[in-house]
Amino acid sequence: MFKKNCLFIFVVLVITACSKPPEACIDNGQTSVSTGQEVVFTSCSKRALSYLWTMVGPTGAPENTQAWSDQQIKVIFTIPGTYTVTLEAYSKFSWMGDVGTASQTVTVQ
């Protein structure tokens, strides 16, 4: 019985130690869009169970105060300028566990 328990604990430790963190990835080929145009961003992340999207753009852009938690988001930019779109991909639900990060720059005209 002791050997079985030790073997089980060893296997659990090895599996846990060998797990890789998420690799965040943004699937969107558009780096330049027009104001009012709908843009779709999709996570192509590996080993992720939850997502957090944020944007940072020109001062006063309403997108700066929003966050999304879906695997795919649709955004309509309302103010011209340069935006940095960031995706945090988490290994567990509810933004827990290991995290991988990816960013993309979008110019809105």
Side-chain angles (χ1 to χ4, degrees):
M1 177 97 168
F2 177 74
K3 287 183 180 181
K4 286 183 181 179
N5 286 341
C6 287
L7 178 61
F8 175 76
I9 291 171
F10 175 75
V11 169
V12 169
L13 289 174
V14 168
I15 291 172
T16 304
C18 293
S19 65
K20 295 180 181 180
E23 291 178 29
C25 171
I26 300 172
D27 183 15
N28 176 294
Q30 297 177 289
T31 56
S32 181
V33 299
S34 299
T35 302
Q37 176 184 350
E38 182 177 80
V39 182
V40 178
F41 296 93
T42 303
S43 170
C44 50
S45 303
K46 296 179 182 176
R47 297 178 299 279
L49 294 177
S50 60
Y51 310 92
L52 179 61
W53 298 86
T54 55
M55 312 239 172
V56 176
T59 302
E63 294 80 11
N64 293 343
T65 61
Q66 298 176 356
W68 299 263
S69 61
D70 296 322
Q71 188 172 0
Q72 181 182 75
I73 63 169
K74 296 176 182 179
V75 180
I76 297 175
F77 293 99
T78 58
I79 295 179
T82 301
Y83 291 79
T84 301
V85 179
T86 302
L87 168 64
E88 294 178 354
Y90 291 86
S91 62
K92 297 182 181 180
F93 289 109
S94 301
W95 310 295
M96 303 281 292
D98 293 330
V99 63
T101 304
S103 294
Q104 178 180 340
T105 302
V106 177
T107 302
V108 179
Q109 302 171 354

